[in-house]
Amino acid sequence: MAKSVIERLLAVEWRPVGGNDKHSRSRFELMREHLRRTALWAEHLGADTWPYPPLARTFDHTVGIPVDVREQLVEHLEDRTFYAHTSMLCMHTVAWAYLKEQCTSLPRLPDPYEPLLVLFERGGEFAVEVGQMARFRPWLLALQPRDEYLSQDPFVELDDATLDSLDEESAW
């Protein structure tokens, strides 16, 4: 499981933010879904940070990423990404994958990082403006307080057909 997540991150085509991103709309919706799922987990675990709590460490503070894997990811991302939150979120995603391998009794909540992985796979990183906006040109997502995401139904299904349809509908 963790190996698969690491391979997916290493395979991402990390593109600069900006320009005409043909997957802007689907990436916008994927971020909303990531935040919804993260809010569910953060609420369940009593995490006190938002919008990017370290869920794996909050669940089990002993969970970590092996040093060699961490170094490989840092080296890989260093020359390919621009924003610090990208590396942090990649590390949270990998730590979650290791947690899932080690823990057989996770609550039955949706995987918080799968939408983020798909978001990265559909176009690389995203910008955060003033710490409160995620930018997917031309879409701008205002990051809401955690409680705003708790009562939401899923924003989007993660399959390619649904995501491609969103992008086709909003092509500009």
Side-chain angles (χ1 to χ4, degrees):
M1 167 136 342
K3 183 179 180 192
S4 169
V5 168
I6 294 162
E7 288 170 354
R8 288 174 67 187
L9 286 170
L10 294 175
V12 167
E13 185 180 330
W14 296 101
R15 289 176 257 176
V17 173
N20 186 4
D21 178 359
K22 67 180 182 176
H23 296 300
S24 292
R25 176 64 192 275
S26 62
R27 288 165 29 89
F28 174 90
E29 296 298 340
L30 287 162
M31 175 53 77
R32 290 175 69 206
E33 181 60 14
H34 165 66
L35 291 168
R36 182 188 77 83
R37 292 178 180 200
T38 299
L40 293 171
W41 276 98
E43 177 78 6
H44 180 78
L45 298 174
D48 57 359
T49 58
W50 181 256
Y52 309 121
L55 294 174
R57 289 204 145 238
T58 303
F59 186 86
D60 180 349
H61 72 280
T62 66
V63 170
I65 301 172
V67 173
D68 60 325
V69 172
R70 180 177 292 281
E71 288 173 355
Q72 178 188 21
L73 284 171
V74 167
E75 184 179 316
H76 178 80
L77 295 169
E78 187 173 50
D79 296 329
R80 291 172 176 84
T81 61
F82 182 75
Y83 298 105
H85 66 263
T86 301
S87 293
M88 174 192 65
L89 288 170
C90 287
M91 296 303 169
H92 288 187
T93 302
V94 171
W96 187 260
Y98 278 106
L99 173 69
K100 286 172 59 176
E101 280 184 353
Q102 297 168 19
C103 183
T104 59
S105 61
L106 286 174
R108 296 183 58 93
L109 293 170
D111 185 317
Y113 294 104
E114 185 61 25
L116 188 64
L117 271 169
V118 176
L119 181 155
F120 288 150
E121 290 170 331
R122 292 181 73 83
E125 61 187 335
F126 58 93
V128 174
E129 297 180 2
V130 195
Q132 296 301 314
M133 302 277 224
R135 182 169 45 105
F136 304 94
R137 194 173 289 242
W139 304 91
L140 203 58
L141 173 64
L143 301 175
Q144 302 296 321
R146 180 175 83 186
D147 292 348
E148 294 293 318
Y149 294 96
L150 294 175
S151 62
Q152 301 288 335
D153 290 330
F155 288 109
V156 68
E157 296 297 323
L158 306 186
D159 63 281
D160 286 335
T162 299
L163 298 172
D164 289 346
S165 176
L166 279 172
D167 291 329
E168 289 170 18
E169 290 171 12
S170 62
W172 49 292

